[in-house]
């Protein structure tokens, strides 16, 4: 059954927040100097309300920088005193919550590797119950809306009603232009399932590359998201984590002044109208179809190279028959017309043959791939 979740609007969190909410700061708190330098630069521009920095870093592989730990929380105190910004960090276990609360952290977020684990989420929800600080829940690494809603529900059930979701994209196994695949349709669905829930976009982890951050940020604002969480570092190339995706404070400020913020009022929680929502989902799915076609073509090229080296003919009838048969069968199970799948496959196949023929002729076009 759908949970009845009624989140308090951002503007009523009692923290002087505005919508859209801007959160910015380095991926990791690395030193007192780096933390203060970033916070001061962000505070001067005036739009950022919350300073973010990871104190404990969940690294995919062991051996990397795992965060400054408790001493970093002391640097936060200076940020609060000297800039007036609120401070936020990631918590992944009850001990982190305890230390964050002891050091007056204003809000916490749950990372993508933690929100996927209901046991940990339950432990965090109990540790945060009664703490009266807002909790931001990042989407799990996998594109599983139920798991994301489940995590939000667990916090809600422990009495936390200042909650927001952070959309940071999903891990793509296939190579893609972005670090994480946005799958905007999932964020849109989340918003329609829990209309009162503020959804903030983290364009840094979606983009993975600093130059792509503004484009993702704009897209999220166009989808009426309620704010941004952006990674900003005074010297990105020297950052101890996520070096490629962090913006300098100057680049961040110029991005913010170039973005079009649509008027999302604190009282109107309509994401977009129905037709618009569906169109946004279609746009996102089309983008994924095109990326998959490109990935398919790269594999076709590998086969082409192999065939060239081993003198194998391009067209192999048995393989083509099997492709047709299995794809039509799959399409039928999903309610798609046989002729539709057939013509689509013919088109895809024709292009593959063309590409392999080019490779065989040895005059592969260099069109940027
Ligand atoms: C982060 O915000 O630096 C972070 C680790 O994010 P995520 O959990 O989205 O990977
Ligand atoms: Mn990061």
């Amino acid at each position: 059954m759908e949970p009845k979740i009624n989140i308090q609007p951002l503007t009523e969190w009692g923290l002087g927040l505005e919508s859209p909410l801007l959160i910015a700061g380095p991926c990791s708190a690395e030193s007192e100097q780096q933390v203060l330098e970033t916070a001061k630069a962000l505070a001067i521009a005036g739009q950022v309300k919350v300073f973010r920095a990871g104190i404990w870093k969940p690294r995919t592989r062991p051996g990397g920088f795992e965060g400054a730990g408790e001493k970093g929380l002391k640097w936060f105190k200076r940020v609060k005193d000297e800039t007036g910004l609120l401070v936020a960090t990631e918590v992944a276990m009850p001990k982190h919550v305890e230390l964050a609360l002891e050091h007056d952290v204003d809000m916490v977020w749950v990372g993508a590797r933690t929100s996927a684990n209901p046991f940990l989420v339950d432990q965090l929800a109990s540790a945060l119950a009664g703490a009266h600080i807002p909790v931001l829940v990042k989407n799990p690494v996998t594109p599983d809306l139920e798991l994301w809603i489940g995590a939000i529900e667990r916090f809600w059930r422990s009495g936390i009603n200042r909650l927001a979701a952070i959309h940071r994209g999903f891990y793509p196994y296939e190579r893609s232009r972005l670090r994480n695949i946005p799958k905007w349709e999932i964020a849109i669905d989340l918003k329609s399932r829990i209309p009162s829930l503020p959804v903030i976009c983290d364009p840094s982890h979606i983009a993975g590359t600093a130059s792509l951050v503004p484009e993702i940020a704009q897209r999220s604002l166009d989808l009426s998201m309620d704010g941004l969480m952006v990674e900003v570092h005074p010297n990105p190339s020297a950052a101890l984590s996520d070096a490629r995706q962090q913006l300098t404070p100057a680049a961040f400020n110029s991005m913010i002044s170039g973005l079009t913020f649509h008027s999302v009022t604190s009282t109107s929680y309509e994401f977009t109208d129905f037709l618009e929502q569906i169109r946004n989902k279609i746009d996102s799915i089309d983008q994924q179809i095109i990326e998959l076609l490109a990935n398919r073509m790269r594999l076709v090229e590998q086969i082409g190279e192999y065939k060239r080296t081993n003198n194998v003919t391009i067209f192999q009838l048995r393989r083509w028959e099997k492709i047709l048969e299995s794809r039509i069968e799959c399409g039928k199970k999903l309610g798609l017309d046989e002729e539709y799948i057939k013509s689509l496959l013919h088109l895809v196949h024709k292009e593959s043959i063309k590409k392999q023929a080019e490779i065989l002729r040895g005059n592969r076009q260099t069109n940027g791939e």
Side-chain angles (χ1 to χ4, degrees), residues 26-28 52-54 56-60 90 109-115 138-139 141 166-169 179-180 202 204-206 229 231 241-242 245:
C27 177
S28 306
R52 66 143 283 161
W56 300 280
K57 298 305 296 177
R59 306 314 297 271
T60 300
E90 171 174 351
W109 80 82
V110 178
R113 291 158 194 79
T114 309
S115 62
K138 286 201 170 195
N139 65 259
V141 181
I166 301 180
H167 173 227
R168 47 78 80 197
R179 172 177 174 182
N180 284 333
D202 170 348
S204 306
H205 287 86
I206 293 179
M229 180 196 255
E231 288 190 340
S241 59
D242 288 348
Q245 71 196 29

Side-chain angles (χ1 to χ4, degrees), residues 6-266:
N6 208 357
I7 311 288
Q8 235 177 31
L10 276 174
T11 47
E12 290 168 25
W13 285 8
L15 296 168
L17 300 177
E18 288 159 14
S19 184
L21 170 63
L22 291 185
I23 304 173
C27 177
S28 306
E30 298 169 1
S31 68
E32 184 164 35
Q33 205 262 339
Q34 170 246 18
V35 162
L36 280 166
E37 185 183 341
T38 319
K40 284 180 181 165
L42 292 169
I44 287 169
Q47 287 113 321
V48 172
K49 293 284 175 254
V50 183
F51 176 79
R52 66 143 283 161
I55 293 288
W56 300 280
K57 298 305 296 177
R59 306 314 297 271
T60 300
R61 302 282 300 271
F65 174 63
E66 294 192 332
E70 193 178 348
K71 67 175 181 297
L73 293 170
K74 304 208 166 68
W75 308 334
F76 275 6
K77 169 99 175 68
R78 284 195 63 190
V79 169
K80 289 171 65 137
D81 292 347
E82 294 173 34
T83 67
L85 292 172
L86 299 170
V87 294
T89 198
E90 171 174 351
V91 289
M93 24 189 171
K95 182 74 190 156
H96 298 162
V97 173
E98 196 186 298
L99 289 168
L101 294 173
E102 236 171 64
H103 289 82
D104 285 329
V105 167
D106 300 289
M107 58 179 80
V108 291
W109 80 82
V110 178
R113 291 158 194 79
T114 309
S115 62
N117 183 333
F119 291 130
L120 277 176
V121 170
D122 268 336
Q123 288 181 15
L124 292 174
S126 310
L128 284 158
H132 304 295
I133 61 168
V135 178
L136 316 177
V137 184
K138 286 201 170 195
N139 65 259
V141 181
T142 43
D144 183 341
L145 178 58
E146 298 309 315
L147 200 55
W148 198 2
I149 291 182
I152 291 157
E153 203 182 350
R154 287 187 151 86
F155 287 108
W156 166 257
R157 283 181 175 213
S158 71
I160 298 161
N161 67 353
R162 290 184 297 169
L163 279 168
I166 301 180
H167 173 227
R168 47 78 80 197
F170 305 91
Y171 176 74
Y173 188 66
E174 292 87 11
R175 193 175 98 180
S176 97
R177 191 172 72 102
L178 304 170
R179 172 177 174 182
N180 284 333
I181 184 162
K183 284 193 168 287
W184 299 107
E185 66 277 16
I186 295 186
I188 294 170
D189 281 343
L190 174 66
K191 195 76 181 177
S192 12
R193 295 270 296 271
I194 313 177
S196 63
L197 181 72
V199 181
I200 291 162
C201 180
D202 170 348
S204 306
H205 287 86
I206 293 179
T209 307
S211 60
L212 300 176
V213 172
E215 151 190 347
I216 302 295
Q218 186 60 62
R219 177 92 177 104
S220 72
L221 295 174
D222 295 345
L223 293 172
S224 304
M225 291 213 186
D226 303 271
L228 298 170
M229 180 196 255
V230 182
E231 288 190 340
V232 178
H233 191 287
N235 182 7
S237 58
L240 299 181
S241 59
D242 288 348
R244 288 182 56 217
Q245 71 196 29
Q246 304 204 57
L247 302 178
T248 59
F252 172 77
N253 288 332
S254 99
M255 171 180 87
I256 295 297
S257 49
L259 290 173
T260 307
F261 289 87
H262 308 282
S263 53
V264 190
T265 61
S266 56

Side-chain angles (χ1 to χ4, degrees), residues 341-359:
I341 298 294
K342 240 192 223 164
S343 32
L344 203 62
L345 283 172
H346 272 289
L347 209 62
V348 170
H349 190 239
K350 204 172 120 196
E351 195 62 21
S352 306
I353 299 268
K354 190 175 125 202
K355 180 63 89 184
Q356 290 190 30
E358 277 168 20
I359 293 171

